[in-house]
Amino acid sequence: MAWPWLLPFGLFFVASVAQAAVVEHTFNVGNLSISQLCQPARIITAVNGRLPGPTVEAREGDTVVVHLVNESPYNMTIHWHGVFQRGSPWADGPAMVTQCPVKPGANYTYRFNVTDQEGTLWWHAHISFLRATVYGALVILPRGGAGAYPFSPKPHREETVILGEWWNANVYDLQQQVFLTGDTTRMPPADAYTINGKPGDLYNCSAANQTYNFRVRSNETYLLRIINAALNTPMFFKVANHTFTVVGADAAYTTPYETDVVLIAPGQTVDALMVAGAAVGRYYMAASPYDSAIPQGPQFSMTNGTAIVEYAGSAGEDKPQLPPRTEYNDTDTAFRFLSNLTALVLPGKPTVPLSVDTRMFVTAHYYGDDASAGVYTRDFPDRPPVIFDYTAVASDNDTLKYTTKSTKVRTLRYNETVEMVLQNTRLIAKESHPMHLHGFNFFVLAQGFGNYDEAAAAPRFNLVNPQERNTVAVPTGGWAVIRFVANNPGMWFMHCHFDAHLDLGLGMVFEVQDGPTAETSVPPPPMDLPQC
């Protein structure tokens, strides 16, 4: 496929799918007056006057049509996080990559199908920090309904649990101060963490309607669709006196995994069964931060966002029980959860490719100057330009190891297999970066700490049932190895899902061609960026 620029214009069509339906929504993005944490009401940007926005529910194979009407004062796009967008890359949504922003007063229609996908995904604004309040769930059910789930027991009911962050200040203004200064320390920690848009009652605020309630019946099984919509904060998730069986992650089924705590990074989703097997009563559901940065900094608010799980028959005035708190810097617990998940191998579903065509070693760098090319070129490197001790204690020479600001893409032939080592660095701080790839799922073959050592790591690769993800939380001061097949033509963004890091350059683009191309030693010419 020829891509003379990143932004394709014009009409588009989606082929019909047998027995599929069209699921249609209108998203009116506009101002919402809301009061949180006993503060005076303020104006936020939200969809259809709700926080979170509406859930989009479809069945595998359906076509989704969403009419975006921008009644807000800001430019807007919507990203359908985790949707493959096969045949519709222009509906992916990242501003200035595949789409010009939708200006205030304008509208845009997203149209895409959800073939060969099942589980929990989500949608969010993909411009500025506006996804702090512009987000919602995207649930893809099996074509046969809940009875077709490949796990047991089948849930009696399903609940969407969206974790978020809340700032009393205007998030657009916060983004501007971070971007214009290039200083992530100017991004203050969230004033509260939220569950389904509400902070809970542990923030010294007695205002009514600050806590979300989940009502359950004894001994029934609930499928919790957990989404981390936070801008910058990985979360530990617990329910007092209850355990979970994880059965899915990023809309891919997992081997059932028993745990009493879920670690979920920004951008990720987890499907977990919870049996209401505790004594009749009221229990806190809690989301608390995982601060992976070394050295530790004032990045996160050390508080709990809470909701209440209330059993039928309990006294509504009973004080809920709190789950034991996980320490905010408990990397051992975080790594144990993230590294123990494996895929549920199902007939006819993709398995990890065993041969590799392209190998890449990519470090988590920020750019260190303000040069801008104004065009994009196809020479994104397969290796870092400078090799150094990526995870050791910082030195006075670190400024020599920052990358330069550029607009480079990596071109991939259609259907080639790519293996990437994602290596964390110590620049600014060692921390867990949630790396998200648009347009694809990938297999996570291995994860570890320190500098990647291929000789030691390769024998540990899981080539049988590695977990399948669209967002991987690269361990703090460590690495992850992922593998995917470039079978989806288009321009696909790959970036850190900490929004404060995206503005500082932690992202790149894959250009996937639509068929085999002849090898050539002459690089294609640079191309103009779209003028939006």
Side-chain angles (χ1 to χ4, degrees):
M1 179 179 291
W3 293 94
W5 45 73
L6 286 176
L7 180 68
F9 292 93
L11 298 176
F12 50 90
F13 302 91
V14 176
S16 62
V17 178
Q19 300 181 341
V22 175
V23 177
E24 192 164 8
H25 289 261
T26 296
F27 280 14
N28 292 297
V29 183
N31 291 338
L32 171 64
S33 177
I34 186 172
S35 176
Q36 301 264 53
L37 305 178
C38 294
Q39 297 290 311
R42 73 171 184 85
I43 301 298
I44 65 169
T45 304
V47 174
N48 294 356
R50 298 166 55 183
L51 179 69
T55 295
V56 176
E57 185 174 290
R59 292 184 185 272
E60 186 276 325
D62 285 353
T63 293
V64 177
V65 179
V66 177
H67 306 288
L68 170 63
V69 181
N70 189 6
E71 300 171 340
S72 81
Y74 307 111
N75 289 341
M76 182 58 57
T77 69
I78 300 293
H79 171 50
W80 311 94
H81 187 111
V83 174
F84 295 151
Q85 298 291 357
R86 291 197 178 105
S88 56
W90 45 85
D92 192 39
M96 306 306 295
V97 177
T98 54
Q99 179 183 358
C100 284
V102 181
K103 297 183 181 299
N107 58 75
Y108 184 82
T109 295
Y110 294 93
R111 184 182 181 95
F112 55 90
N113 67 59
V114 289
T115 300
D116 296 328
Q117 295 192 264
E118 296 176 12
T120 305
L121 297 173
W122 63 301
W123 57 264
H124 59 82
H126 211 302
I127 186 168
S128 182
F129 285 175
L130 292 171
R131 78 171 173 90
T133 54
V134 179
Y135 61 83
L138 171 58
V139 175
I140 307 173
L141 299 171
R143 179 129 311 274
Y149 289 144
F151 53 77
S152 60
K154 300 297 187 285
H156 293 88
R157 212 169 76 209
E158 302 182 9
E159 296 281 0
T160 299
V161 182
I162 307 184
L163 313 181
E165 291 171 303
W166 172 264
W167 282 267
N168 291 327
N170 182 293
V171 293
Y172 181 85
D173 294 340
L174 292 177
Q175 188 269 347
Q176 290 298 298
Q177 76 179 25
V178 171
F179 179 70
L180 293 176
T181 63
D183 182 1
T184 57
T185 63
R186 291 180 177 267
M187 181 64 184
D191 293 290
Y193 303 117
T194 60
I195 297 178
N196 288 356
K198 300 178 183 297
D201 57 8
L202 298 184
Y203 285 98
N204 298 319
C205 175
S206 59
N209 199 31
Q210 292 281 289
T211 306
Y212 195 90
N213 274 42
F214 295 90
R215 302 189 185 279
V216 300
R217 293 184 176 276
S218 290
N219 300 318
E220 289 191 344
T221 299
Y222 295 83
L223 176 61
L224 303 183
R225 299 183 178 274
I226 311 164
I227 301 166
N228 189 342
L231 285 188
N232 299 311
T233 308
M235 300 275 195
F236 290 115
F237 175 81
K238 287 186 172 183
V239 177
N241 286 19
H242 292 72
T243 59
F244 311 110
T245 302
V246 175
V247 294
D250 291 1
Y253 293 114
T254 65
T255 305
Y257 176 67
E258 307 290 335
T259 181
D260 64 349
V261 59
V262 168
L263 188 283
I264 182 167
Q268 292 184 327
T269 71
V270 170
D271 290 346
L273 298 175
M274 184 187 79
V275 177
V280 170
R282 302 172 79 227
Y283 302 88
Y284 273 123
M285 173 185 290
S288 59
Y290 166 48
D291 185 354
S292 65
I294 302 172
Q296 303 294 331
Q299 186 175 358
F300 302 128
S301 172
M302 301 307 168
T303 56
N304 282 317
T306 56
I308 293 176
V309 174
E310 183 172 324
Y311 278 66
S314 67
E317 66 276 5
D318 290 348
K319 184 174 179 59
Q321 297 184 42
L322 263 174
R325 182 179 177 88
T326 304
E327 289 299 318
Y328 68 91
N329 59 354
D330 189 347
T331 291
D332 289 343
T333 294
F335 185 76
R336 182 166 55 250
F337 178 86
L338 293 172
S339 61
N340 276 344
L341 297 181
T342 57
L344 182 64
V345 179
L346 297 169
K349 295 298 182 181
T351 55
V352 59
L354 299 182
S355 61
V356 176
D357 302 303
T358 296
R359 299 181 190 274
M360 301 178 67
F361 187 98
V362 178
T363 53
H365 273 51
Y366 306 98
Y367 64 78
D369 64 24
D370 198 30
S372 180
V375 296
Y376 81 86
T377 57
R378 292 184 173 100
D379 57 347
F380 186 88
D382 286 350
R383 294 288 185 272
V386 177
I387 297 174
F388 61 101
D389 188 347
Y390 305 111
T391 61
V393 176
S395 71
D396 293 336
N397 294 322
D398 275 347
T399 54
L400 301 177
K401 302 180 180 73
Y402 284 82
T403 189
T404 56
K405 182 178 181 181
S406 62
T407 48
K408 300 176 185 290
V409 307
R410 178 61 165 86
T411 300
L412 300 175
R413 298 184 311 277
Y414 177 76
N415 223 33
E416 71 173 293
T417 297
V418 181
E419 182 176 291
M420 295 182 71
V421 177
L422 297 168
Q423 173 70 59
N424 251 316
T425 69
R426 65 172 182 259
L427 299 180
I428 300 181
K430 294 191 294 188
E431 60 184 316
S432 175
H433 293 281
M435 299 301 295
H436 172 49
L437 176 60
H438 291 221
F440 300 92
N441 281 357
F442 49 75
F443 296 96
V444 183
L445 305 187
Q447 305 171 68
F449 296 98
N451 294 316
Y452 177 71
D453 180 347
E454 182 177 5
R460 297 167 41 204
F461 284 3
N462 182 348
L463 300 176
V464 177
N465 61 345
Q467 61 180 290
E468 193 175 350
R469 287 279 198 176
N470 62 57
T471 305
V472 60
V474 182
T476 181
W479 50 269
V481 181
I482 67 172
R483 192 179 288 183
F484 68 96
V485 179
N487 57 6
N488 191 10
M491 288 291 196
W492 304 112
F493 204 14
M494 185 172 190
H495 61 90
C496 180
H497 223 274
F498 289 156
D499 271 28
H501 292 183
L502 182 56
D503 279 349
L504 297 178
L506 224 175
M508 55 86 68
V509 170
F510 283 109
E511 177 191 45
V512 179
Q513 299 175 332
D514 66 353
T517 58
E519 294 293 335
T520 175
S521 60
V522 179
M527 294 178 267
D528 292 334
L529 289 171
Q531 300 300 312
C532 294

PDB file of all heavy atoms in Angstrom, residues 132-158:
ATOM      1  N   ALA A 132      -8.162  11.919  30.471  1.00  0.00           N
ATOM      2  CA  ALA A 132      -8.426  11.847  31.908  1.00  0.00           C
ATOM      3  C   ALA A 132      -9.927  11.802  32.197  1.00  0.00           C
ATOM      4  O   ALA A 132     -10.350  11.265  33.226  1.00  0.00           O
ATOM      5  CB  ALA A 132      -7.795  13.034  32.633  1.00  0.00           C
ATOM      6  N   THR A 133     -10.733  12.350  31.286  1.00  0.00           N
ATOM      7  CA  THR A 133     -12.186  12.360  31.493  1.00  0.00           C
ATOM      8  C   THR A 133     -12.963  11.866  30.269  1.00  0.00           C
ATOM      9  O   THR A 133     -14.173  11.683  30.360  1.00  0.00           O
ATOM     10  CB  THR A 133     -12.680  13.779  31.839  1.00  0.00           C
ATOM     11  OG1 THR A 133     -12.238  14.707  30.839  1.00  0.00           O
ATOM     12  CG2 THR A 133     -12.149  14.217  33.198  1.00  0.00           C
ATOM     13  N   VAL A 134     -12.283  11.672  29.141  1.00  0.00           N
ATOM     14  CA  VAL A 134     -12.961  11.199  27.926  1.00  0.00           C
ATOM     15  C   VAL A 134     -12.553   9.746  27.712  1.00  0.00           C
ATOM     16  O   VAL A 134     -11.524   9.454  27.092  1.00  0.00           O
ATOM     17  CB  VAL A 134     -12.591  12.071  26.706  1.00  0.00           C
ATOM     18  CG1 VAL A 134     -13.275  11.547  25.445  1.00  0.00           C
ATOM     19  CG2 VAL A 134     -12.987  13.520  26.952  1.00  0.00           C
ATOM     20  N   TYR A 135     -13.339   8.820  28.267  1.00  0.00           N
ATOM     21  CA  TYR A 135     -13.016   7.393  28.165  1.00  0.00           C
ATOM     22  C   TYR A 135     -14.247   6.567  28.492  1.00  0.00           C
ATOM     23  O   TYR A 135     -15.208   7.044  29.106  1.00  0.00           O
ATOM     24  CB  TYR A 135     -11.862   7.009  29.087  1.00  0.00           C
ATOM     25  CG  TYR A 135     -12.126   7.230  30.570  1.00  0.00           C
ATOM     26  CD1 TYR A 135     -12.820   6.292  31.330  1.00  0.00           C
ATOM     27  CD2 TYR A 135     -11.667   8.377  31.225  1.00  0.00           C
ATOM     28  CE1 TYR A 135     -13.057   6.478  32.683  1.00  0.00           C
ATOM     29  CE2 TYR A 135     -11.894   8.579  32.578  1.00  0.00           C
ATOM     30  CZ  TYR A 135     -12.591   7.626  33.306  1.00  0.00           C
ATOM     31  OH  TYR A 135     -12.824   7.817  34.645  1.00  0.00           O
ATOM     32  N   GLY A 136     -14.205   5.305  28.069  1.00  0.00           N
ATOM     33  CA  GLY A 136     -15.284   4.375  28.375  1.00  0.00           C
ATOM     34  C   GLY A 136     -14.905   2.974  27.940  1.00  0.00           C
ATOM     35  O   GLY A 136     -13.856   2.744  27.324  1.00  0.00           O
ATOM     36  N   ALA A 137     -15.753   2.012  28.235  1.00  0.00           N
ATOM     37  CA  ALA A 137     -15.485   0.604  27.951  1.00  0.00           C
ATOM     38  C   ALA A 137     -15.956   0.231  26.550  1.00  0.00           C
ATOM     39  O   ALA A 137     -16.931   0.785  26.027  1.00  0.00           O
ATOM     40  CB  ALA A 137     -16.182  -0.284  28.974  1.00  0.00           C
ATOM     41  N   LEU A 138     -15.255  -0.731  25.946  1.00  0.00           N
ATOM     42  CA  LEU A 138     -15.643  -1.356  24.690  1.00  0.00           C
ATOM     43  C   LEU A 138     -15.625  -2.860  24.937  1.00  0.00           C
ATOM     44  O   LEU A 138     -14.562  -3.466  25.084  1.00  0.00           O
ATOM     45  CB  LEU A 138     -14.680  -0.967  23.566  1.00  0.00           C
ATOM     46  CG  LEU A 138     -14.822  -1.693  22.224  1.00  0.00           C
ATOM     47  CD1 LEU A 138     -16.223  -1.509  21.652  1.00  0.00           C
ATOM     48  CD2 LEU A 138     -13.782  -1.202  21.232  1.00  0.00           C
ATOM     49  N   VAL A 139     -16.806  -3.459  25.005  1.00  0.00           N
ATOM     50  CA  VAL A 139     -16.950  -4.873  25.352  1.00  0.00           C
ATOM     51  C   VAL A 139     -17.349  -5.650  24.101  1.00  0.00           C
ATOM     52  O   VAL A 139     -18.349  -5.326  23.451  1.00  0.00           O
ATOM     53  CB  VAL A 139     -18.010  -5.065  26.455  1.00  0.00           C
ATOM     54  CG1 VAL A 139     -18.247  -6.551  26.722  1.00  0.00           C
ATOM     55  CG2 VAL A 139     -17.578  -4.349  27.731  1.00  0.00           C
ATOM     56  N   ILE A 140     -16.539  -6.662  23.766  1.00  0.00           N
ATOM     57  CA  ILE A 140     -16.814  -7.497  22.602  1.00  0.00           C
ATOM     58  C   ILE A 140     -17.180  -8.892  23.100  1.00  0.00           C
ATOM     59  O   ILE A 140     -16.334  -9.624  23.634  1.00  0.00           O
ATOM     60  CB  ILE A 140     -15.604  -7.568  21.656  1.00  0.00           C
ATOM     61  CG1 ILE A 140     -15.130  -6.157  21.287  1.00  0.00           C
ATOM     62  CG2 ILE A 140     -15.962  -8.350  20.399  1.00  0.00           C
ATOM     63  CD1 ILE A 140     -13.834  -6.128  20.498  1.00  0.00           C
ATOM     64  N   LEU A 141     -18.436  -9.260  22.933  1.00  0.00           N
ATOM     65  CA  LEU A 141     -18.928 -10.558  23.391  1.00  0.00           C
ATOM     66  C   LEU A 141     -18.701 -11.618  22.325  1.00  0.00           C
ATOM     67  O   LEU A 141     -18.648 -11.314  21.132  1.00  0.00           O
ATOM     68  CB  LEU A 141     -20.425 -10.463  23.700  1.00  0.00           C
ATOM     69  CG  LEU A 141     -20.826  -9.471  24.792  1.00  0.00           C
ATOM     70  CD1 LEU A 141     -22.342  -9.327  24.835  1.00  0.00           C
ATOM     71  CD2 LEU A 141     -20.295  -9.914  26.146  1.00  0.00           C
ATOM     72  N   PRO A 142     -18.571 -12.887  22.720  1.00  0.00           N
ATOM     73  CA  PRO A 142     -18.502 -13.951  21.717  1.00  0.00           C
ATOM     74  C   PRO A 142     -19.785 -13.970  20.887  1.00  0.00           C
ATOM     75  O   PRO A 142     -20.859 -13.561  21.367  1.00  0.00           O
ATOM     76  CB  PRO A 142     -18.375 -15.224  22.555  1.00  0.00           C
ATOM     77  CG  PRO A 142     -17.966 -14.781  23.914  1.00  0.00           C
ATOM     78  CD  PRO A 142     -18.515 -13.407  24.093  1.00  0.00           C
ATOM     79  N   ARG A 143     -19.680 -14.451  19.650  1.00  0.00           N
ATOM     80  CA  ARG A 143     -20.872 -14.500  18.807  1.00  0.00           C
ATOM     81  C   ARG A 143     -21.957 -15.352  19.435  1.00  0.00           C
ATOM     82  O   ARG A 143     -23.145 -15.075  19.266  1.00  0.00           O
ATOM     83  CB  ARG A 143     -20.502 -15.043  17.427  1.00  0.00           C
ATOM     84  CG  ARG A 143     -21.681 -15.149  16.497  1.00  0.00           C
ATOM     85  CD  ARG A 143     -21.446 -14.515  15.171  1.00  0.00           C
ATOM     86  NE  ARG A 143     -20.910 -13.177  15.243  1.00  0.00           N
ATOM     87  CZ  ARG A 143     -21.661 -12.071  15.379  1.00  0.00           C
ATOM     88  NH1 ARG A 143     -22.964 -12.154  15.498  1.00  0.00           N
ATOM     89  NH2 ARG A 143     -21.091 -10.893  15.410  1.00  0.00           N
ATOM     90  N   GLY A 144     -21.588 -16.357  20.205  1.00  0.00           N
ATOM     91  CA  GLY A 144     -22.580 -17.206  20.855  1.00  0.00           C
ATOM     92  C   GLY A 144     -23.038 -16.702  22.208  1.00  0.00           C
ATOM     93  O   GLY A 144     -23.733 -17.423  22.931  1.00  0.00           O
ATOM     94  N   GLY A 145     -22.637 -15.480  22.592  1.00  0.00           N
ATOM     95  CA  GLY A 145     -23.030 -14.938  23.882  1.00  0.00           C
ATOM     96  C   GLY A 145     -22.185 -15.476  25.021  1.00  0.00           C
ATOM     97  O   GLY A 145     -21.179 -16.171  24.811  1.00  0.00           O
ATOM     98  N   ALA A 146     -22.612 -15.157  26.249  1.00  0.00           N
ATOM     99  CA  ALA A 146     -21.820 -15.518  27.425  1.00  0.00           C
ATOM    100  C   ALA A 146     -21.651 -17.025  27.565  1.00  0.00           C
ATOM    101  O   ALA A 146     -20.673 -17.503  28.147  1.00  0.00           O
ATOM    102  CB  ALA A 146     -22.467 -14.941  28.683  1.00  0.00           C
ATOM    103  N   GLY A 147     -22.560 -17.794  27.008  1.00  0.00           N
ATOM    104  CA  GLY A 147     -22.445 -19.247  27.094  1.00  0.00           C
ATOM    105  C   GLY A 147     -21.279 -19.807  26.313  1.00  0.00           C
ATOM    106  O   GLY A 147     -20.881 -20.961  26.510  1.00  0.00           O
ATOM    107  N   ALA A 148     -20.702 -18.976  25.421  1.00  0.00           N
ATOM    108  CA  ALA A 148     -19.571 -19.415  24.605  1.00  0.00           C
ATOM    109  C   ALA A 148     -18.225 -19.078  25.236  1.00  0.00           C
ATOM    110  O   ALA A 148     -17.185 -19.339  24.622  1.00  0.00           O
ATOM    111  CB  ALA A 148     -19.664 -18.785  23.208  1.00  0.00           C
ATOM    112  N   TYR A 149     -18.229 -18.513  26.443  1.00  0.00           N
ATOM    113  CA  TYR A 149     -16.950 -18.235  27.100  1.00  0.00           C
ATOM    114  C   TYR A 149     -16.171 -19.540  27.288  1.00  0.00           C
ATOM    115  O   TYR A 149     -16.741 -20.548  27.735  1.00  0.00           O
ATOM    116  CB  TYR A 149     -17.169 -17.600  28.466  1.00  0.00           C
ATOM    117  CG  TYR A 149     -17.676 -16.177  28.437  1.00  0.00           C
ATOM    118  CD1 TYR A 149     -18.578 -15.734  29.402  1.00  0.00           C
ATOM    119  CD2 TYR A 149     -17.252 -15.272  27.475  1.00  0.00           C
ATOM    120  CE1 TYR A 149     -19.048 -14.437  29.405  1.00  0.00           C
ATOM    121  CE2 TYR A 149     -17.718 -13.965  27.465  1.00  0.00           C
ATOM    122  CZ  TYR A 149     -18.619 -13.557  28.434  1.00  0.00           C
ATOM    123  OH  TYR A 149     -19.085 -12.265  28.428  1.00  0.00           O
ATOM    124  N   PRO A 150     -14.858 -19.538  27.003  1.00  0.00           N
ATOM    125  CA  PRO A 150     -14.063 -20.769  27.136  1.00  0.00           C
ATOM    126  C   PRO A 150     -13.534 -20.974  28.550  1.00  0.00           C
ATOM    127  O   PRO A 150     -12.436 -21.502  28.731  1.00  0.00           O
ATOM    128  CB  PRO A 150     -12.936 -20.539  26.135  1.00  0.00           C
ATOM    129  CG  PRO A 150     -12.704 -19.076  26.185  1.00  0.00           C
ATOM    130  CD  PRO A 150     -14.058 -18.455  26.386  1.00  0.00           C
ATOM    131  N   PHE A 151     -14.270 -20.548  29.545  1.00  0.00           N
ATOM    132  CA  PHE A 151     -13.855 -20.741  30.938  1.00  0.00           C
ATOM    133  C   PHE A 151     -15.094 -21.043  31.768  1.00  0.00           C
ATOM    134  O   PHE A 151     -16.241 -20.814  31.337  1.00  0.00           O
ATOM    135  CB  PHE A 151     -13.121 -19.502  31.475  1.00  0.00           C
ATOM    136  CG  PHE A 151     -13.880 -18.212  31.315  1.00  0.00           C
ATOM    137  CD1 PHE A 151     -14.937 -17.878  32.163  1.00  0.00           C
ATOM    138  CD2 PHE A 151     -13.552 -17.311  30.308  1.00  0.00           C
ATOM    139  CE1 PHE A 151     -15.634 -16.691  32.013  1.00  0.00           C
ATOM    140  CE2 PHE A 151     -14.243 -16.116  30.146  1.00  0.00           C
ATOM    141  CZ  PHE A 151     -15.284 -15.800  31.008  1.00  0.00           C
ATOM    142  N   SER A 152     -14.858 -21.547  32.954  1.00  0.00           N
ATOM    143  CA  SER A 152     -15.947 -21.833  33.870  1.00  0.00           C
ATOM    144  C   SER A 152     -15.508 -21.467  35.285  1.00  0.00           C
ATOM    145  O   SER A 152     -14.298 -21.408  35.555  1.00  0.00           O
ATOM    146  CB  SER A 152     -16.354 -23.315  33.791  1.00  0.00           C
ATOM    147  OG  SER A 152     -15.253 -24.136  34.142  1.00  0.00           O
ATOM    148  N   PRO A 153     -16.455 -21.209  36.172  1.00  0.00           N
ATOM    149  CA  PRO A 153     -17.893 -21.226  35.915  1.00  0.00           C
ATOM    150  C   PRO A 153     -18.325 -20.022  35.077  1.00  0.00           C
ATOM    151  O   PRO A 153     -17.625 -19.008  35.051  1.00  0.00           O
ATOM    152  CB  PRO A 153     -18.490 -21.164  37.322  1.00  0.00           C
ATOM    153  CG  PRO A 153     -17.475 -20.404  38.124  1.00  0.00           C
ATOM    154  CD  PRO A 153     -16.141 -20.837  37.579  1.00  0.00           C
ATOM    155  N   LYS A 154     -19.450 -20.165  34.397  1.00  0.00           N
ATOM    156  CA  LYS A 154     -19.996 -19.044  33.650  1.00  0.00           C
ATOM    157  C   LYS A 154     -20.530 -18.013  34.644  1.00  0.00           C
ATOM    158  O   LYS A 154     -21.139 -18.358  35.659  1.00  0.00           O
ATOM    159  CB  LYS A 154     -21.111 -19.506  32.709  1.00  0.00           C
ATOM    160  CG  LYS A 154     -20.661 -20.542  31.678  1.00  0.00           C
ATOM    161  CD  LYS A 154     -19.593 -19.985  30.737  1.00  0.00           C
ATOM    162  CE  LYS A 154     -19.257 -20.944  29.605  1.00  0.00           C
ATOM    163  NZ  LYS A 154     -18.430 -22.089  30.035  1.00  0.00           N
ATOM    164  N   PRO A 155     -20.268 -16.737  34.398  1.00  0.00           N
ATOM    165  CA  PRO A 155     -20.690 -15.712  35.361  1.00  0.00           C
ATOM    166  C   PRO A 155     -22.199 -15.531  35.396  1.00  0.00           C
ATOM    167  O   PRO A 155     -22.875 -15.650  34.369  1.00  0.00           O
ATOM    168  CB  PRO A 155     -19.991 -14.448  34.846  1.00  0.00           C
ATOM    169  CG  PRO A 155     -19.786 -14.693  33.383  1.00  0.00           C
ATOM    170  CD  PRO A 155     -19.553 -16.167  33.238  1.00  0.00           C
ATOM    171  N   HIS A 156     -22.713 -15.243  36.572  1.00  0.00           N
ATOM    172  CA  HIS A 156     -24.118 -14.879  36.699  1.00  0.00           C
ATOM    173  C   HIS A 156     -24.360 -13.454  36.194  1.00  0.00           C
ATOM    174  O   HIS A 156     -25.446 -13.140  35.701  1.00  0.00           O
ATOM    175  CB  HIS A 156     -24.561 -14.968  38.167  1.00  0.00           C
ATOM    176  CG  HIS A 156     -24.559 -16.362  38.717  1.00  0.00           C
ATOM    177  ND1 HIS A 156     -23.436 -16.925  39.300  1.00  0.00           N
ATOM    178  CD2 HIS A 156     -25.536 -17.306  38.771  1.00  0.00           C
ATOM    179  CE1 HIS A 156     -23.719 -18.153  39.708  1.00  0.00           C
ATOM    180  NE2 HIS A 156     -24.974 -18.412  39.398  1.00  0.00           N
ATOM    181  N   ARG A 157     -23.331 -12.632  36.347  1.00  0.00           N
ATOM    182  CA  ARG A 157     -23.458 -11.235  35.934  1.00  0.00           C
ATOM    183  C   ARG A 157     -22.084 -10.679  35.601  1.00  0.00           C
ATOM    184  O   ARG A 157     -21.062 -11.236  36.032  1.00  0.00           O
ATOM    185  CB  ARG A 157     -24.116 -10.397  37.037  1.00  0.00           C
ATOM    186  CG  ARG A 157     -24.964  -9.248  36.498  1.00  0.00           C
ATOM    187  CD  ARG A 157     -25.799  -8.622  37.581  1.00  0.00           C
ATOM    188  NE  ARG A 157     -24.983  -7.757  38.448  1.00  0.00           N
ATOM    189  CZ  ARG A 157     -25.237  -7.526  39.728  1.00  0.00           C
ATOM    190  NH1 ARG A 157     -26.259  -8.111  40.319  1.00  0.00           N
ATOM    191  NH2 ARG A 157     -24.476  -6.723  40.435  1.00  0.00           N
ATOM    192  N   GLU A 158     -22.047  -9.593  34.844  1.00  0.00           N
ATOM    193  CA  GLU A 158     -20.797  -8.940  34.490  1.00  0.00           C
ATOM    194  C   GLU A 158     -20.827  -7.496  34.984  1.00  0.00           C
ATOM    195  O   GLU A 158     -21.868  -6.847  34.955  1.00  0.00           O
ATOM    196  CB  GLU A 158     -20.587  -8.979  32.968  1.00  0.00           C
ATOM    197  CG  GLU A 158     -20.567 -10.390  32.414  1.00  0.00           C
ATOM    198  CD  GLU A 158     -20.304 -10.440  30.914  1.00  0.00           C
ATOM    199  OE1 GLU A 158     -19.970  -9.370  30.330  1.00  0.00           O
ATOM    200  OE2 GLU A 158     -20.420 -11.529  30.329  1.00  0.00           O
TER     201      GLU A 158
END
